[in-house]
Amino acid sequence: MEIEALRLRGPSTHRFGRLMGRGVVEPAYPLPTLDVSGPPMSLARNAEIYAEGDPADHLYKIASGMVRTCKFLVDGRRQIGGFYLPGDIFGLEPESEYTFSAEAVTEVEVIAVKRAVASSTQLLALMSRELQSTQNHLLLLAKTAPERVASFLLEMAERIQSAHEVELGMSRQDIADYLGLTIETVSRTLTQLENESTIALPTSKRVVLRNRATLKRLNS
Amino acid sequence: MEIEALRLRGPSTHRFGRLMGRGVVEPAYPLPTLDVSGPPMSLARNAEIYAEGDPADHLYKIASGMVRTCKFLVDGRRQIGGFYLPGDIFGLEPESEYTFSAEAVTEVEVIAVKRAVASSTQLLALMSRELQSTQNHLLLLAKTAPERVASFLLEMAERIQSAHEVELGMSRQDIADYLGLTIETVSRTLTQLENESTIALPTSKRVVLRNRATLKRLNS
DNA sequence: CGCCAGGTTGAAGAGAATCAAGTGATGTGG
DNA sequence: CCACATCACTTGATTCTCTTCAACCTGGCG
């Protein structure tokens, strides 16, 4: 199977670097193609794809659905490292063992690739994108709760390539553990954004972006 | 000039992944050697080495002193991405422009290397380490103030290879902006650790680790 | 000796967490 | 098709941590 354009996270991860009014920047490490063999694996909601500490010998490309990577701290707190959407590749880690586990957020189809078949150039491109989104995630955690939620909504909208509406596949708990907040704070913040007419919430997982300018301003 | 072992951040960045009681793990991307040409550059305290947005065409290896990378948010808040010590390499970024700026914390001597002279394999190894420390930094920001400070002290001690005493080159403001706290909170937390006899502070920048077990427990 | 930046300490306040009680969706079995 | 159980989400009241604002030390250095 030929994957024409490997993509690890969406283009949204460029956002933070672009706030100073500069133009679009070419990626330093353009993504090559990569041969992928094997049939797609289907996984049910919440199924574990790999665990923290497993040998990190495979990469995974998402055909459909959503995946989260996460890590549990000793006191039981959970930190989500990222969400991965169709077309994204996850499983490239800086060690020979996975440092985060990966789980299906929704029903998911993934294609596994042996890491060994990827070239250094390909791995570099993937890791570069992973670093970029981790840096953005880190900057996100320096913000206030409304700013985090606004950034999250804009990131998701951009990755889905949707200007007006976002279908969140993940639960409030997932969002909270990604943003470093509690579910109550996430819920309250969303409600407040709705009351200000910045967003609408036709259902709890469907978000209509009614005022992107306000969200972007919050994004700081 | 031949650099025998490129090192981007110290080995401490493995710590978070090692909490589950597993043994030491070999890095997935062992570091090769890299020829470095040109004389060391000397820089005064607070000198800027490169700015956010500059073309990211050079890597820098520290011969002496300490460097910080940082980014300013639109509201003036500053986030420090990391501190770099002698032997560390910084300046490898996921884009073709620097996403963080780099500044001398102390007087510093650095050796510049054109990024183009490094192979994909070498860049991969460097980026892998950068990703690892960014992931650890991210996990750190999910913790409470005492936990962040304890983690910071242990990280510094490990990177300096010092079991008992750490000479912090950076100011309270630098520490605060790295940990996502205010200087007052950093100061108060250090004072409290001193009152509990977990550390001693012979001077404001010199920290004696009197009770590593307590620090590690805080490190969670 | 006194200035000044960096650091510490105190008191008050804001923001998010926690604890607790609802409300609303989803799914299952009768 | 409906009653009910369950789970996710929302909302409210309170607590607590960290920030903010302010005053005060302390240690280098002219």
Side-chain angles (χ1 to χ4, degrees):
Chain A
M1 178 178 178
E2 175 75 11
I3 306 287
E4 70 299 329
L6 282 183
R7 193 162 58 92
L8 188 67
R9 303 292 185 83
S12 70
T13 50
H14 284 262
R15 184 160 26 79
F16 286 93
R18 304 279 66 79
L19 290 173
M20 305 304 285
R22 296 190 196 88
V24 171
V25 174
E26 291 303 310
Y29 310 101
L31 277 171
T33 60
L34 175 62
D35 272 321
V36 176
S37 60
M41 264 192 317
S42 278
L43 293 145
R45 257 181 112 250
N46 293 319
E48 184 175 87
I49 300 163
Y50 54 76
E52 207 183 313
D54 286 354
D57 45 13
H58 284 84
L59 308 176
Y60 299 86
K61 184 179 168 97
I62 302 191
S64 69
M66 183 185 288
V67 167
R68 63 175 173 254
T69 55
C70 52
K71 191 176 184 84
F72 288 88
L73 307 184
V74 287
D75 62 356
R77 282 175 297 185
R78 184 183 69 156
Q79 178 64 50
I80 289 190
F83 297 106
Y84 296 84
L85 303 179
D88 292 346
I89 288 176
F90 64 94
L92 183 60
E93 305 252 352
E95 290 189 56
S96 57
E97 294 184 355
Y98 292 115
T99 54
F100 285 72
S101 62
E103 299 169 357
V105 174
T106 61
E107 282 182 23
V108 100
E109 288 181 313
V110 297
I111 301 149
V113 198
K114 276 206 178 348
R115 190 181 66 178
V117 310
S119 69
S120 284
T121 307
Q122 289 169 326
L123 291 174
L124 181 59
L126 292 172
M127 200 170 282
S128 161
R129 273 149 191 77
E130 192 65 25
L131 175 57
Q132 197 168 18
S133 53
T134 305
Q135 283 178 350
N136 289 339
H137 192 179
L138 187 142
L139 291 172
L140 190 149
L141 295 182
K143 303 181 186 181
T144 66
E147 288 168 346
R148 294 186 209 190
V149 172
S151 300
F152 172 74
L153 293 177
L154 287 172
E155 181 195 337
M156 282 299 147
E158 193 168 346
R159 288 175 62 183
I160 291 174
Q161 307 273 40
S162 159
H164 297 301
E165 199 161 1
V166 182
E167 178 71 31
L168 304 172
M170 72 291 280
S171 69
R172 293 288 186 270
Q173 188 65 63
D174 286 336
I175 299 172
D177 290 346
Y178 178 72
L179 299 181
L181 299 170
T182 60
I183 51 172
E184 293 96 330
T185 299
V186 171
S187 182
R188 272 186 254 269
T189 304
L190 288 171
T191 301
Q192 192 182 342
L193 289 173
E194 189 176 29
N195 291 341
E196 296 164 355
S197 301
T198 307
I199 63 170
L201 287 164
T203 77
S204 72
K205 300 215 171 169
R206 180 164 286 275
V207 183
V208 179
L209 309 185
R210 297 179 60 186
N211 191 339
R212 279 177 96 86
T214 302
L215 289 175
K216 277 182 184 148
R217 186 160 35 73
L218 274 175
N219 192 27
S220 96
Chain B
M1 178 178 178
E2 175 76 11
I3 307 288
E4 70 298 330
L6 283 183
R7 192 161 58 92
L8 188 66
R9 304 291 184 83
S12 70
T13 50
H14 283 263
R15 182 162 25 81
F16 286 94
R18 303 279 66 80
L19 289 172
M20 306 304 285
R22 296 189 194 88
V24 172
V25 173
E26 291 303 311
Y29 311 100
L31 279 170
T33 60
L34 175 62
D35 272 321
V36 176
S37 59
M41 264 193 317
S42 278
L43 294 145
R45 257 181 114 251
N46 293 319
E48 186 176 86
I49 300 164
Y50 53 75
E52 208 184 312
D54 286 354
D57 45 12
H58 283 84
L59 307 176
Y60 298 86
K61 183 177 168 98
I62 302 191
S64 69
M66 183 185 288
V67 167
R68 64 177 173 252
T69 55
C70 53
K71 192 176 182 86
F72 288 89
L73 306 184
V74 287
D75 62 356
R77 281 175 299 186
R78 183 183 70 157
Q79 178 63 50
I80 287 188
F83 297 106
Y84 296 84
L85 303 178
D88 292 347
I89 288 175
F90 64 94
L92 184 60
E93 304 251 353
E95 290 188 56
S96 57
E97 294 183 356
Y98 293 116
T99 54
F100 285 73
S101 62
E103 298 168 356
V105 173
T106 62
E107 281 182 24
V108 100
E109 289 181 312
V110 297
I111 301 151
V113 197
K114 275 205 179 350
R115 190 181 68 179
V117 310
S119 68
S120 284
T121 307
Q122 289 169 327
L123 292 174
L124 181 59
L126 292 173
M127 199 170 284
S128 161
R129 274 150 191 77
E130 193 64 25
L131 175 58
Q132 196 169 17
S133 53
T134 305
Q135 283 178 351
N136 289 340
H137 192 179
L138 188 142
L139 290 172
L140 189 151
L141 294 182
K143 304 181 185 179
T144 66
E147 289 169 346
R148 293 185 209 191
V149 172
S151 300
F152 172 74
L153 293 177
L154 288 172
E155 181 195 338
M156 282 299 147
E158 194 168 344
R159 287 175 62 185
I160 290 174
Q161 307 273 40
S162 159
H164 297 301
E165 199 161 2
V166 183
E167 177 71 30
L168 304 172
M170 72 291 281
S171 68
R172 293 287 186 271
Q173 189 64 62
D174 285 336
I175 299 172
D177 290 346
Y178 178 72
L179 298 180
L181 299 170
T182 60
I183 51 172
E184 292 96 331
T185 299
V186 171
S187 182
R188 273 187 254 269
T189 304
L190 288 171
T191 302
Q192 193 182 342
L193 289 173
E194 189 176 29
N195 291 341
E196 295 165 355
S197 299
T198 306
I199 63 171
L201 287 164
T203 76
S204 71
K205 300 214 171 169
R206 179 165 286 277
V207 183
V208 179
L209 309 185
R210 297 180 60 184
N211 191 339
R212 279 178 95 87
T214 301
L215 289 175
K216 277 182 183 147
R217 185 160 36 72
L218 273 176
N219 193 26
S220 97

